[in-house]
Each structure stands twice: as C-alpha cells, then as structure tokens.
Amino acid sequence: MPRPDAAEQSRSRRERILDAAFHAFATRGYRDTAVDDIAGAAETSKGGIYFHFPTKEAIFRELMETTADKLVARVERAVALETDPVSRAEAAIHTVLTTFAGHRTMARLLFLDTMGAGRVFQAETNALHARFAGLIQGYLDDTVQAGVIPPIDTRITSIAWFGAINEVVARWLLADDAARLEDAYPALRATLLRSAGVPQDRIGSIPLPPAGWAFPEMTRSPAVPAAARGADEESGG
C-alpha cells in the first residue's frame, strides 16, 4: 500500500487540533483548557500541538478568525438573495441569530470565550466587533442611499446594532434554561429597524410574547397576583 502523503498527514493533524480545541474551549472555556486537553482530544502529542501552533493563544486566535469567516460567509450568502435594502439588513440579523441557535459552540467561542480570555485577546475581540459592525454599516448605507430611511450616522447605528445582538446572544448563552434564540428575532428586528428610521408600515406588527415568558429563559414562574400576596401577608404566610 502507498504510504500516506506527509503533507496530507500534517494537514489532517492540524485540522484535528483545531477541531479538538474548538470543542475544548466551548466546553471548558479558554482559561480552563490546557494544551494537554487539546492534545488528548486530537489524539496527538503535546509536541505535535507545538509543531503547528506555538502557543494556546495562537490556536484560539486562529479559531476566532476562521469561525468569524464562516459566519460572515453565511450572512453574505443570505444577503445576496435579497434585493430590497431593508430585506438585506433583515437577512443579516436573522442569519446571525439562526446560525448561533443551531451552533451554540460557535456562539460561545465568539461571545463568551473571548470575554473569558481576558485582555490577552482584547485587540482581536475589538477587531472582530469592528468587522461585524462594518458589515452592518454597509447594509445601512445602502438603505440610506436608496432613500428608504433618512440620513443617519450609520457608523454609530451599526455599533449600536451589533451591541444589541451581542447582548441578546450573550444572555441566551448564560441562561440556565435557555429559550430558542430565534424567538428573539421579531422583537429584536423591530427594535433595530425602528432605531434606523425604517417606516412603521414596513416593519409591521410584532406579536407579543406569551404571558410569563421572559427571554432568555425558557420558562418563568408566573407572578403572584397582588390579591393573593395580600391574603398571604394577612394570614402571616
């Protein structure tokens, strides 16, 4: 039998390392993941890790970049299917939420692990946020140029949009009994479009959540009616 190509073996091992690191960081967090953990999951030696990556930080940086690339590619494919400027912005928001809803580990890596890694990755985190805000700004610029919304500071608005999406996703990731992330889309969409000056008739009506439901939790204990609280207080309960 022909011997496996050395270059192919090296490429395969590198991919195994990145895959193992992705799941280790998402499960344990950056700080609590050791190089030994990654090596064991990748079925290679610690030396094998260092052959491809000089440090754990180098692995994490590459994962941040490749994960962001995958998300941006998804967003751009979805946006390319739309011609209306507002629909393009809507497609971007919807794609981000549905992608993270189906790939929780990806969301953890981009939103939680970058925070947990601390100041070591502050520059990379800022660049990542700027990249997504810039993507949003481009869609808002198109909407302004089409005359759909009045002239606005699209840079500030795009930063605010990213901040809102970031907060919704982060709260969902931290919830003990998380609801479906995509259920946040109608309210988030309406809030963001209104903030950019999209006409209300274009936004449409937004269904209210069921009574007692409070995102990001799946369920919420119903509030005790005031009359019942008064009765308990009078009875000493």
Side-chain angles (χ1 to χ4, degrees), residues 46-227:
K46 199 169 181 178
I49 298 286
Y50 290 130
F51 176 81
H52 294 281
F53 302 96
T55 61
K56 184 175 76 168
E57 289 86 350
I59 300 174
F60 193 72
R61 284 191 175 93
E62 175 143 346
L63 283 174
M64 283 180 63
E65 182 176 344
T66 56
T67 301
D69 286 345
K70 290 176 183 177
L71 179 58
V72 169
R74 281 175 177 262
V75 170
E76 290 178 338
R77 285 197 299 270
V79 168
L81 299 175
E82 305 293 341
T83 55
D84 173 66
V86 175
S87 296
R88 289 165 67 86
E90 290 173 317
I93 302 168
H94 187 262
T95 301
V96 169
L97 291 189
T98 55
T99 298
F100 286 148
H103 299 82
R104 196 178 180 90
T105 51
M106 175 189 286
R108 285 192 62 87
L109 183 71
L110 288 179
F111 287 88
L112 294 188
D113 286 350
T114 52
M115 292 188 291
R119 298 183 64 181
V120 175
F121 296 102
Q122 192 61 56
E124 285 81 0
T125 301
N126 290 343
L128 181 67
H129 290 185
R131 180 179 183 184
F132 283 108
L135 198 65
I136 294 168
Q137 183 178 1
Y139 303 139
L140 291 175
D141 285 338
D142 291 342
T143 309
V144 170
Q145 291 172 10
V148 178
I149 61 175
I152 58 172
D153 187 330
T154 56
R155 175 171 169 74
I156 294 298
T157 305
S158 66
I159 292 172
W161 275 37
F162 177 80
I165 295 170
N166 183 82
E167 184 68 11
V168 167
V169 175
R171 285 178 177 267
W172 171 71
L173 289 169
L174 293 170
D176 292 328
D177 184 21
R180 298 189 335 144
L181 179 58
E182 54 267 44
D183 288 345
Y185 172 72
L188 182 61
R189 165 191 170 271
T191 300
L192 297 182
L193 293 183
R194 283 171 183 158
S195 74
V198 175
Q200 184 59 45
D201 59 352
R202 174 63 178 78
I203 297 172
S205 61
I206 307 300
L208 295 176
W213 182 84
F215 185 87
E217 297 291 342
M218 176 71 75
T219 57
R220 182 185 183 189
S221 299
V224 178

